[in-house]
Amino acid sequence: MERNPLRRQLQLMRKSLFDQGYLDEQFVQLEELQDDTNPNFVEEVVTLYYRDSARLVLNIEQALERKPYNFHKLDAYMHQFKGSSSSIGAKKVKAESTLFREYCKSGNGEGCMRCFQQLKKEYATLRKKLEAYFQVARQAGPMETACRPK
Amino acid sequence: MEAAAAAVLPSGSSQELHVLAVDDSYVDRKVIEKLLKISSCKVTAVESGARALQFLGLDGEKGSLGFDGLKVNLIMTDYSMPGMTGYELLKKIKRSSAFREIPVVIMSSENILTRIDSCLEEGAEEFLVKPVKLSDVRRLMKDCVLRGETEGNAGRRFDKRKFEDDNHNHTPSLSSSSSSTPSPPSSPSTTAPFEGDVATSELVSSSPPYSSKRAKLHGHD
């Protein structure tokens, strides 16, 4: 258990993110890529993810304003969103993306709309938690969260 | 610091592998770049098949000479990309006399058997299911380098093909897990069987070598 209170807080925040299912193993993979030459790698990737997500969410929102829905297009956007969510280990967001794509495939517009609202909620929650996490991380300084196996 | 690629290279050679990574996703490009750099590779990351061909000098544009200093040892490409898919890029590379020898690895978030088969049939070295992990890249480095070492050794190559044929009797089991190709057993690795000097009759009479890769893909935990 970390003696340093900030680092202890960071450890607890990190554990909670995993225990509550917001993050999966892929996030650990990213942590393993972080080192002294690139100490903010994970945060950089996540920041890219926010930018990417903002664009995709907007595209999907606009597509959902046009009736009848173009399910093919909606699915294509969500495929991208699912991909980048998967790449950072965003477990819940990824699950909602998968569900959305199921609704697209079955042409269920209502389902898509409902699912998308839920997805946006999950994404907002994750983002808030990650922002708080990285804020503490920056204050706490470099920390061994995961060791890259030799 | 990991030096997987450099460490396994034949002694006397300290050249890093140069990998061309192709992916339309910013996030994935950043991650693959880091995975490769940590594995001691030089990386060029581009966002599309068109850009990749441009980089290789295959886009038909004049004045794309002089890429010797930037020789590409491996191409890793995403499958689903707007415009040119990774599959289309793979075909173009394998149909070019200048670049067909470069191993091409396909990455995809979707574990679709027919997709995997078509890619392997077109000559892809491996098919990795995303998200790509460090262990996937490390295994690739070993396989690529091993392949490079045996490039000039035709006799051994025949033995490898034979061994792969022996393995082909696995019943491919579909896996829904997101893990990628398993580590090959201590046997020879995924040497591309479509070598120029293998007689056509050899290819026709024996089972398609790529099926052994397929077996490896799916016969894992």
Side-chain angles (χ1 to χ4, degrees):
Chain A
M1 189 50 131
E2 274 288 346
R3 284 223 203 98
N4 179 312
L6 269 180
R7 289 190 188 180
R8 196 158 57 235
Q9 184 188 359
L10 193 65
Q11 259 182 357
L12 289 169
M13 289 171 90
R14 185 180 175 275
K15 186 173 189 302
S16 160
L17 283 165
F18 283 99
D19 289 349
Q20 292 179 12
Y22 289 102
L23 296 177
D24 65 30
E25 164 64 27
Q26 186 57 22
F27 190 82
V28 179
Q29 283 283 316
L30 294 186
E31 288 176 318
E32 288 181 2
L33 298 178
Q34 190 159 284
D35 57 25
D36 297 332
T37 64
N38 208 173
N40 300 310
F41 174 72
V42 185
E43 192 179 2
E44 285 168 16
V45 177
V46 171
T47 304
L48 264 181
Y49 170 66
Y50 297 151
R51 241 186 277 159
D52 216 29
S53 304
R55 176 182 61 89
L56 288 165
V57 164
L58 185 62
N59 287 340
I60 295 169
E61 256 163 2
Q62 289 174 342
L64 286 172
E65 275 161 24
R66 287 184 211 109
K67 303 263 174 65
Y69 290 155
N70 182 337
F71 289 111
H72 179 79
K73 205 173 194 177
L74 284 167
D75 185 63
Y77 285 137
M78 194 50 80
H79 171 83
Q80 286 186 58
F81 191 39
K82 181 183 169 183
S84 46
S85 302
S86 170
S87 295
I88 69 146
K91 194 172 178 181
K92 289 191 190 197
V93 175
K94 180 181 169 180
E96 291 297 329
S97 313
T98 304
L99 190 57
F100 185 94
R101 295 191 71 199
E102 295 297 313
Y103 285 129
C104 284
K105 288 188 182 94
S106 53
N108 184 339
E110 261 291 309
C112 282
M113 187 50 104
R114 265 184 292 117
C115 184
F116 186 56
Q117 301 313 316
Q118 184 58 26
L119 185 149
K120 281 194 287 186
K121 279 203 196 109
E122 289 294 351
Y123 172 75
T125 305
L126 175 68
R127 183 164 174 166
K128 216 165 100 190
K129 286 182 183 282
L130 284 176
E131 281 172 347
Y133 174 76
F134 286 119
Q135 192 169 42
V136 175
R138 267 180 265 123
Q139 288 168 357
M143 170 179 150
E144 286 286 307
T145 46
C147 281
R148 193 179 310 136
K150 293 282 175 269
Chain B
M1 182 68 147
E2 268 305 324
V8 189
L9 280 167
S11 56
S13 165
S14 57
Q15 253 193 325
E16 290 178 318
L17 287 183
H18 179 202
V19 183
L20 177 62
V22 191
D23 201 318
D24 62 313
S25 158
Y26 295 120
V27 173
D28 289 353
R29 268 205 306 284
K30 186 164 173 88
V31 174
I32 198 77
E33 197 169 20
K34 188 70 175 171
L35 283 171
L36 290 167
K37 282 194 173 143
I38 273 189
S39 307
S40 301
C41 295
K42 268 203 292 273
V43 191
T44 300
V46 298
E47 70 206 10
S48 68
R51 277 260 180 271
L53 292 177
Q54 224 171 29
F55 182 80
L56 292 170
L58 271 179
D59 58 342
E61 292 288 311
K62 305 251 186 301
S64 52
L65 306 156
F67 275 108
D68 301 303
L70 300 163
K71 179 170 146 65
V72 171
N73 304 112
L74 170 68
I75 297 169
M76 294 182 73
T77 179
D78 188 28
Y79 184 94
S80 320
M81 297 186 290
M84 193 189 306
T85 66
Y87 179 68
E88 286 159 357
L89 176 62
L90 166 70
K91 281 200 287 192
K92 287 199 155 70
I93 290 165
K94 290 300 166 183
R95 283 164 201 193
S96 94
S97 46
F99 298 105
R100 71 160 68 103
E101 289 302 310
I102 303 179
V104 181
V105 171
I106 309 283
M107 305 177 282
S108 175
S109 53
E110 286 161 319
N111 194 5
I112 301 170
L113 195 55
T114 49
R115 177 180 291 189
I116 296 170
D117 278 352
S118 346
C119 289
L120 294 181
E121 264 180 84
E122 279 296 328
E125 201 67 21
E126 289 235 15
F127 187 99
L128 296 179
V129 179
K130 281 176 150 183
V132 177
K133 297 174 168 45
L134 192 54
S135 53
D136 295 327
V137 174
R138 282 199 186 127
R139 203 190 60 251
L140 271 186
M141 295 300 109
K142 267 174 50 201
D143 289 355
C144 270
V145 172
L146 190 64
R147 184 179 185 274
E149 278 189 348
T150 60
E151 209 80 286
N153 198 340
R156 244 181 101 194
R157 208 184 296 132
F158 273 87
D159 290 343
K160 284 186 188 201
R161 268 205 61 240
K162 188 171 190 297
F163 199 103
E164 285 194 350
D165 289 344
D166 291 344
N167 285 343
H168 88 273
N169 287 321
H170 285 127
T171 311
S173 52
L174 277 167
S175 168
S176 58
S177 77
S178 63
S179 59
S180 60
T181 56
S183 306
S186 53
S187 66
S189 60
T190 52
T191 310
F194 299 97
E195 306 291 28
D197 59 339
V198 173
T200 321
S201 58
E202 284 262 0
L203 283 171
V204 168
S205 58
S206 53
S207 316
Y210 68 80
S211 67
S212 68
K213 282 188 199 166
R214 212 228 281 181
K216 281 185 197 155
L217 276 168
H218 297 286
H220 61 74
D221 37 83

Short mmCIF file of all heavy atoms in Angstrom, two decimals, chain A residues 26 29-30 33 35 37-38 41 44-45 48-49 52 79-80 83-84 86-88 101 148-150, chain B residues 1-2 24-28 30-31 34-35 38 80 109-110 115 130-135 138 178:
data_model
loop_
_atom_site.label_atom_id
_atom_site.label_comp_id
_atom_site.label_asym_id
_atom_site.label_seq_id
_atom_site.Cartn_x
_atom_site.Cartn_y
_atom_site.Cartn_z
N GLN A 26 -7.12 -3.52 -21.52
CA GLN A 26 -6.42 -2.75 -22.54
C GLN A 26 -5.81 -1.47 -21.95
O GLN A 26 -4.78 -1.00 -22.40
CB GLN A 26 -7.35 -2.41 -23.72
CG GLN A 26 -6.67 -1.74 -24.89
CD GLN A 26 -5.52 -2.52 -25.48
OE1 GLN A 26 -5.42 -3.73 -25.33
NE2 GLN A 26 -4.63 -1.82 -26.16
N GLN A 29 -2.54 -2.34 -20.69
CA GLN A 29 -1.61 -2.44 -21.82
C GLN A 29 -1.01 -1.06 -22.12
O GLN A 29 0.19 -0.94 -22.38
CB GLN A 29 -2.33 -2.95 -23.07
CG GLN A 29 -2.61 -4.45 -23.06
CD GLN A 29 -1.36 -5.25 -23.38
OE1 GLN A 29 -0.61 -4.92 -24.30
NE2 GLN A 29 -1.12 -6.30 -22.62
N LEU A 30 -1.85 -0.04 -22.09
CA LEU A 30 -1.36 1.31 -22.36
C LEU A 30 -0.41 1.77 -21.26
O LEU A 30 0.62 2.38 -21.52
CB LEU A 30 -2.53 2.30 -22.46
CG LEU A 30 -3.50 2.14 -23.62
CD1 LEU A 30 -4.49 3.30 -23.63
CD2 LEU A 30 -2.78 2.09 -24.96
N LEU A 33 3.03 0.73 -21.63
CA LEU A 33 3.81 1.40 -22.68
C LEU A 33 4.37 2.73 -22.19
O LEU A 33 5.18 3.35 -22.87
CB LEU A 33 2.93 1.64 -23.91
CG LEU A 33 2.36 0.39 -24.59
CD1 LEU A 33 1.49 0.79 -25.76
CD2 LEU A 33 3.48 -0.51 -25.08
N ASP A 35 6.62 5.18 -20.07
CA ASP A 35 7.92 5.10 -19.40
C ASP A 35 8.48 6.51 -19.22
O ASP A 35 7.79 7.50 -19.48
CB ASP A 35 8.89 4.21 -20.19
CG ASP A 35 9.07 4.69 -21.62
OD1 ASP A 35 8.87 5.89 -21.90
OD2 ASP A 35 9.42 3.85 -22.49
N THR A 37 10.61 8.15 -20.89
CA THR A 37 10.73 8.97 -22.10
C THR A 37 9.37 9.53 -22.51
O THR A 37 9.28 10.46 -23.29
CB THR A 37 11.28 8.14 -23.29
OG1 THR A 37 10.33 7.12 -23.61
CG2 THR A 37 12.61 7.50 -22.95
N ASN A 38 8.32 8.94 -21.99
CA ASN A 38 6.97 9.34 -22.37
C ASN A 38 6.03 9.17 -21.17
O ASN A 38 5.13 8.33 -21.19
CB ASN A 38 6.51 8.45 -23.53
CG ASN A 38 5.50 9.11 -24.44
OD1 ASN A 38 5.14 8.59 -25.47
ND2 ASN A 38 4.99 10.27 -24.03
N PHE A 41 2.09 9.23 -21.54
CA PHE A 41 1.58 8.54 -22.72
C PHE A 41 0.10 8.20 -22.62
O PHE A 41 -0.68 8.46 -23.53
CB PHE A 41 2.40 7.26 -22.97
CG PHE A 41 1.86 6.43 -24.09
CD1 PHE A 41 1.99 6.85 -25.42
CD2 PHE A 41 1.21 5.23 -23.86
CE1 PHE A 41 1.49 6.09 -26.47
CE2 PHE A 41 0.71 4.45 -24.90
CZ PHE A 41 0.84 4.89 -26.21
N GLU A 44 -2.10 11.14 -22.93
CA GLU A 44 -2.07 11.64 -24.32
C GLU A 44 -3.01 10.83 -25.21
O GLU A 44 -3.75 11.38 -26.02
CB GLU A 44 -0.64 11.59 -24.88
CG GLU A 44 0.25 12.67 -24.34
CD GLU A 44 1.73 12.43 -24.66
OE1 GLU A 44 2.03 11.61 -25.55
OE2 GLU A 44 2.57 13.09 -24.02
N VAL A 45 -2.95 9.53 -25.05
CA VAL A 45 -3.82 8.66 -25.86
C VAL A 45 -5.28 8.94 -25.52
O VAL A 45 -6.13 9.05 -26.41
CB VAL A 45 -3.51 7.17 -25.63
CG1 VAL A 45 -4.46 6.30 -26.42
CG2 VAL A 45 -2.07 6.85 -26.04
N LEU A 48 -6.48 12.08 -27.06
CA LEU A 48 -6.78 11.86 -28.48
C LEU A 48 -8.15 11.20 -28.62
O LEU A 48 -8.92 11.52 -29.53
CB LEU A 48 -5.75 10.91 -29.09
CG LEU A 48 -4.57 11.51 -29.84
CD1 LEU A 48 -3.69 10.39 -30.37
CD2 LEU A 48 -5.03 12.39 -30.99
N TYR A 49 -8.41 10.30 -27.71
CA TYR A 49 -9.70 9.59 -27.70
C TYR A 49 -10.85 10.56 -27.50
O TYR A 49 -11.88 10.46 -28.18
CB TYR A 49 -9.68 8.51 -26.61
CG TYR A 49 -11.02 7.87 -26.33
CD1 TYR A 49 -11.64 7.09 -27.29
CD2 TYR A 49 -11.65 8.05 -25.11
CE1 TYR A 49 -12.87 6.49 -27.04
CE2 TYR A 49 -12.87 7.46 -24.84
CZ TYR A 49 -13.48 6.68 -25.81
OH TYR A 49 -14.69 6.10 -25.56
N ASP A 52 -11.37 12.43 -30.78
CA ASP A 52 -11.96 11.52 -31.75
C ASP A 52 -13.44 11.29 -31.45
O ASP A 52 -14.30 11.33 -32.33
CB ASP A 52 -11.21 10.18 -31.66
CG ASP A 52 -11.05 9.54 -32.99
OD1 ASP A 52 -10.99 10.27 -34.01
OD2 ASP A 52 -11.00 8.30 -33.05
N HIS A 79 -18.76 1.89 -35.47
CA HIS A 79 -17.63 0.97 -35.61
C HIS A 79 -16.34 1.67 -35.23
O HIS A 79 -15.50 1.14 -34.51
CB HIS A 79 -17.58 0.44 -37.04
CG HIS A 79 -16.35 -0.34 -37.35
ND1 HIS A 79 -16.20 -1.68 -37.03
CD2 HIS A 79 -15.19 0.02 -37.94
CE1 HIS A 79 -15.01 -2.09 -37.42
NE2 HIS A 79 -14.37 -1.09 -37.99
N GLN A 80 -16.20 2.90 -35.71
CA GLN A 80 -15.00 3.68 -35.38
C GLN A 80 -14.96 4.01 -33.90
O GLN A 80 -13.90 3.91 -33.26
CB GLN A 80 -15.01 5.00 -36.17
CG GLN A 80 -14.69 4.85 -37.64
CD GLN A 80 -14.58 6.20 -38.32
OE1 GLN A 80 -13.77 7.05 -37.93
NE2 GLN A 80 -15.39 6.43 -39.31
N GLY A 83 -14.08 1.05 -31.92
CA GLY A 83 -12.66 0.75 -32.09
C GLY A 83 -11.77 1.56 -31.17
O GLY A 83 -10.92 1.02 -30.46
N SER A 84 -11.97 2.86 -31.15
CA SER A 84 -11.09 3.67 -30.31
C SER A 84 -11.41 3.47 -28.83
O SER A 84 -10.49 3.49 -28.00
CB SER A 84 -11.14 5.15 -30.70
OG SER A 84 -12.44 5.59 -30.88
N SER A 86 -12.33 0.70 -27.54
CA SER A 86 -11.66 -0.57 -27.25
C SER A 86 -10.16 -0.38 -27.06
O SER A 86 -9.56 -0.98 -26.17
CB SER A 86 -11.94 -1.53 -28.41
OG SER A 86 -11.17 -2.67 -28.29
N SER A 87 -9.58 0.49 -27.87
CA SER A 87 -8.14 0.72 -27.81
C SER A 87 -7.67 1.36 -26.52
O SER A 87 -6.51 1.23 -26.16
CB SER A 87 -7.69 1.58 -28.99
OG SER A 87 -7.88 0.89 -30.19
N ILE A 88 -8.56 2.08 -25.84
CA ILE A 88 -8.12 2.65 -24.57
C ILE A 88 -8.66 1.86 -23.38
O ILE A 88 -8.39 2.19 -22.24
CB ILE A 88 -8.50 4.15 -24.41
CG1 ILE A 88 -10.00 4.34 -24.25
CG2 ILE A 88 -7.93 5.00 -25.53
CD1 ILE A 88 -10.34 5.51 -23.32
N ARG A 101 -24.63 -1.07 -32.42
CA ARG A 101 -24.42 -1.70 -33.73
C ARG A 101 -25.42 -2.83 -33.96
O ARG A 101 -25.84 -3.06 -35.09
CB ARG A 101 -22.98 -2.19 -33.85
CG ARG A 101 -21.96 -1.05 -33.85
CD ARG A 101 -20.59 -1.51 -34.24
NE ARG A 101 -20.55 -1.83 -35.65
CZ ARG A 101 -19.62 -2.60 -36.23
NH1 ARG A 101 -18.67 -3.12 -35.49
NH2 ARG A 101 -19.64 -2.83 -37.51
N ARG A 148 6.12 -3.39 -17.06
CA ARG A 148 6.18 -4.06 -18.35
C ARG A 148 6.93 -5.37 -18.16
O ARG A 148 8.05 -5.38 -17.68
CB ARG A 148 6.94 -3.17 -19.34
CG ARG A 148 6.79 -3.63 -20.78
CD ARG A 148 7.53 -2.70 -21.72
NE ARG A 148 7.20 -1.32 -21.49
CZ ARG A 148 8.10 -0.35 -21.46
NH1 ARG A 148 9.37 -0.61 -21.61
NH2 ARG A 148 7.71 0.89 -21.25
N PRO A 149 6.28 -6.49 -18.48
CA PRO A 149 6.97 -7.78 -18.30
C PRO A 149 8.19 -7.87 -19.19
O PRO A 149 8.15 -7.44 -20.34
CB PRO A 149 5.92 -8.81 -18.72
CG PRO A 149 4.86 -8.04 -19.42
CD PRO A 149 4.96 -6.62 -19.05
N LYS A 150 9.25 -8.40 -18.63
CA LYS A 150 10.51 -8.47 -19.40
C LYS A 150 10.52 -9.65 -20.36
O LYS A 150 9.91 -10.66 -20.06
CB LYS A 150 11.71 -8.60 -18.42
CG LYS A 150 11.92 -7.34 -17.58
CD LYS A 150 12.61 -6.24 -18.39
CE LYS A 150 12.72 -4.92 -17.65
NZ LYS A 150 11.62 -4.03 -17.88
N MET B 1 14.97 -1.62 -20.95
CA MET B 1 14.19 -1.23 -22.15
C MET B 1 14.18 -2.41 -23.13
O MET B 1 15.21 -2.99 -23.39
CB MET B 1 14.86 0.00 -22.77
CG MET B 1 14.14 0.53 -23.98
SD MET B 1 12.54 1.23 -23.58
CE MET B 1 12.41 2.53 -24.78
N GLU B 2 12.99 -2.72 -23.60
CA GLU B 2 12.87 -3.84 -24.54
C GLU B 2 13.65 -3.58 -25.81
O GLU B 2 13.63 -2.50 -26.36
CB GLU B 2 11.39 -4.03 -24.90
CG GLU B 2 10.68 -5.02 -24.00
CD GLU B 2 11.36 -6.38 -23.96
OE1 GLU B 2 11.90 -6.82 -25.00
OE2 GLU B 2 11.39 -6.98 -22.89
N ASP B 24 -6.53 4.36 -40.02
CA ASP B 24 -7.23 5.65 -40.13
C ASP B 24 -7.57 6.24 -38.75
O ASP B 24 -7.97 7.39 -38.65
CB ASP B 24 -8.50 5.53 -40.98
CG ASP B 24 -9.50 4.57 -40.37
OD1 ASP B 24 -9.11 3.46 -39.97
OD2 ASP B 24 -10.69 4.92 -40.29
N SER B 25 -7.41 5.45 -37.70
CA SER B 25 -7.75 5.94 -36.36
C SER B 25 -6.54 6.61 -35.69
O SER B 25 -5.47 6.00 -35.57
CB SER B 25 -8.22 4.77 -35.48
OG SER B 25 -8.07 5.06 -34.12
N TYR B 26 -6.72 7.84 -35.22
CA TYR B 26 -5.62 8.55 -34.54
C TYR B 26 -5.14 7.76 -33.34
O TYR B 26 -3.94 7.60 -33.10
CB TYR B 26 -6.10 9.90 -33.99
CG TYR B 26 -6.51 10.92 -35.01
CD1 TYR B 26 -7.81 11.43 -35.01
CD2 TYR B 26 -5.62 11.41 -35.95
CE1 TYR B 26 -8.20 12.39 -35.93
CE2 TYR B 26 -6.02 12.36 -36.87
CZ TYR B 26 -7.30 12.84 -36.86
OH TYR B 26 -7.71 13.77 -37.76
N VAL B 27 -6.13 7.34 -32.55
CA VAL B 27 -5.82 6.63 -31.31
C VAL B 27 -4.99 5.38 -31.61
O VAL B 27 -3.95 5.15 -31.01
CB VAL B 27 -7.13 6.23 -30.57
CG1 VAL B 27 -6.84 5.34 -29.38
CG2 VAL B 27 -7.87 7.48 -30.11
N ASP B 28 -5.45 4.59 -32.58
CA ASP B 28 -4.75 3.34 -32.89
C ASP B 28 -3.37 3.59 -33.48
O ASP B 28 -2.44 2.82 -33.23
CB ASP B 28 -5.60 2.49 -33.85
CG ASP B 28 -6.83 1.92 -33.16
OD1 ASP B 28 -6.94 2.08 -31.93
OD2 ASP B 28 -7.66 1.30 -33.84
N LYS B 30 -1.42 6.06 -32.74
CA LYS B 30 -0.54 6.44 -31.64
C LYS B 30 -0.11 5.21 -30.84
O LYS B 30 1.04 5.07 -30.45
CB LYS B 30 -1.23 7.46 -30.72
CG LYS B 30 -0.29 8.00 -29.65
CD LYS B 30 -0.83 9.25 -28.99
CE LYS B 30 0.03 9.68 -27.82
NZ LYS B 30 1.14 10.55 -28.16
N VAL B 31 -1.06 4.33 -30.62
CA VAL B 31 -0.76 3.14 -29.82
C VAL B 31 0.19 2.20 -30.57
O VAL B 31 1.18 1.73 -30.01
CB VAL B 31 -2.06 2.40 -29.42
CG1 VAL B 31 -1.75 1.09 -28.72
CG2 VAL B 31 -2.92 3.28 -28.52
N LYS B 34 3.70 3.46 -30.59
CA LYS B 34 4.38 3.26 -29.31
C LYS B 34 4.77 1.79 -29.12
O LYS B 34 5.87 1.49 -28.68
CB LYS B 34 3.47 3.72 -28.17
CG LYS B 34 4.14 3.73 -26.83
CD LYS B 34 5.16 4.81 -26.71
CE LYS B 34 5.72 4.87 -25.31
NZ LYS B 34 6.86 5.75 -25.17
N LEU B 35 3.86 0.90 -29.45
CA LEU B 35 4.13 -0.53 -29.33
C LEU B 35 5.38 -0.90 -30.13
O LEU B 35 6.23 -1.66 -29.67
CB LEU B 35 2.95 -1.36 -29.86
CG LEU B 35 1.71 -1.49 -28.98
CD1 LEU B 35 0.57 -2.13 -29.76
CD2 LEU B 35 2.01 -2.31 -27.75
N ILE B 38 8.69 0.80 -28.70
CA ILE B 38 9.13 0.09 -27.51
C ILE B 38 9.79 -1.23 -27.88
O ILE B 38 10.65 -1.73 -27.16
CB ILE B 38 7.94 -0.11 -26.55
CG1 ILE B 38 7.82 1.11 -25.67
CG2 ILE B 38 8.08 -1.36 -25.70
CD1 ILE B 38 6.85 0.98 -24.56
N SER B 80 -10.35 -2.34 -41.79
CA SER B 80 -11.44 -1.42 -42.17
C SER B 80 -10.98 0.01 -42.21
O SER B 80 -10.82 0.64 -41.17
CB SER B 80 -12.59 -1.49 -41.17
OG SER B 80 -12.83 -2.81 -40.79
N SER B 109 -10.60 -5.27 -35.72
CA SER B 109 -11.34 -5.42 -34.47
C SER B 109 -12.34 -6.57 -34.59
O SER B 109 -12.89 -7.03 -33.60
CB SER B 109 -12.08 -4.13 -34.12
OG SER B 109 -12.86 -3.73 -35.23
N GLU B 110 -12.55 -7.03 -35.82
CA GLU B 110 -13.55 -8.08 -36.03
C GLU B 110 -12.91 -9.40 -36.38
O GLU B 110 -12.14 -9.51 -37.35
CB GLU B 110 -14.55 -7.63 -37.10
CG GLU B 110 -15.49 -6.57 -36.55
CD GLU B 110 -16.19 -5.76 -37.63
OE1 GLU B 110 -15.56 -5.40 -38.62
OE2 GLU B 110 -17.38 -5.49 -37.46
N ARG B 115 -12.96 -13.33 -43.40
CA ARG B 115 -12.05 -12.20 -43.57
C ARG B 115 -10.60 -12.64 -43.35
O ARG B 115 -9.70 -12.31 -44.12
CB ARG B 115 -12.44 -11.09 -42.58
CG ARG B 115 -11.51 -9.89 -42.61
CD ARG B 115 -11.94 -8.84 -41.64
NE ARG B 115 -13.19 -8.20 -42.01
CZ ARG B 115 -13.70 -7.13 -41.40
NH1 ARG B 115 -13.05 -6.58 -40.40
NH2 ARG B 115 -14.85 -6.61 -41.78
N LYS B 130 -7.71 -6.79 -32.95
CA LYS B 130 -7.50 -5.59 -32.13
C LYS B 130 -8.28 -5.73 -30.84
O LYS B 130 -9.34 -6.36 -30.82
CB LYS B 130 -8.00 -4.36 -32.88
CG LYS B 130 -7.06 -3.84 -33.94
CD LYS B 130 -7.75 -2.69 -34.67
CE LYS B 130 -6.74 -1.70 -35.18
NZ LYS B 130 -7.39 -0.55 -35.82
N PRO B 131 -7.89 -5.05 -29.76
CA PRO B 131 -6.73 -4.17 -29.73
C PRO B 131 -5.42 -4.96 -29.68
O PRO B 131 -5.33 -5.97 -28.98
CB PRO B 131 -6.94 -3.38 -28.45
CG PRO B 131 -7.83 -4.19 -27.59
CD PRO B 131 -8.65 -5.03 -28.51
N VAL B 132 -4.44 -4.46 -30.40
CA VAL B 132 -3.15 -5.12 -30.49
C VAL B 132 -2.38 -4.94 -29.18
O VAL B 132 -2.38 -3.87 -28.59
CB VAL B 132 -2.35 -4.54 -31.68
CG1 VAL B 132 -0.96 -5.16 -31.75
CG2 VAL B 132 -3.10 -4.77 -32.97
N LYS B 133 -1.78 -6.03 -28.73
CA LYS B 133 -1.04 -5.98 -27.46
C LYS B 133 0.46 -6.01 -27.72
O LYS B 133 0.91 -6.39 -28.79
CB LYS B 133 -1.41 -7.20 -26.62
CG LYS B 133 -2.88 -7.26 -26.23
CD LYS B 133 -3.14 -8.59 -25.53
CE LYS B 133 -4.47 -8.65 -24.84
NZ LYS B 133 -5.61 -8.15 -25.59
N LEU B 134 1.18 -5.69 -26.65
CA LEU B 134 2.64 -5.73 -26.74
C LEU B 134 3.13 -7.14 -27.07
O LEU B 134 4.07 -7.32 -27.84
CB LEU B 134 3.24 -5.24 -25.42
CG LEU B 134 4.75 -4.94 -25.41
CD1 LEU B 134 5.12 -3.95 -26.51
CD2 LEU B 134 5.17 -4.40 -24.06
N SER B 135 2.48 -8.14 -26.51
CA SER B 135 2.90 -9.52 -26.76
C SER B 135 2.70 -9.88 -28.24
O SER B 135 3.49 -10.65 -28.80
CB SER B 135 2.12 -10.49 -25.88
OG SER B 135 0.72 -10.27 -26.03
N ARG B 138 5.67 -8.24 -30.06
CA ARG B 138 6.91 -8.96 -29.76
C ARG B 138 7.00 -10.26 -30.56
O ARG B 138 8.05 -10.59 -31.10
CB ARG B 138 6.95 -9.32 -28.28
CG ARG B 138 7.32 -8.17 -27.42
CD ARG B 138 7.79 -8.66 -26.07
NE ARG B 138 8.00 -7.53 -25.20
CZ ARG B 138 7.47 -7.41 -24.01
NH1 ARG B 138 6.67 -8.34 -23.55
NH2 ARG B 138 7.73 -6.35 -23.27
N SER B 178 -10.92 -11.97 -27.70
CA SER B 178 -10.31 -10.94 -28.52
C SER B 178 -8.81 -11.12 -28.63
O SER B 178 -8.11 -10.25 -29.07
CB SER B 178 -10.63 -9.57 -27.95
OG SER B 178 -10.05 -9.46 -26.66
#
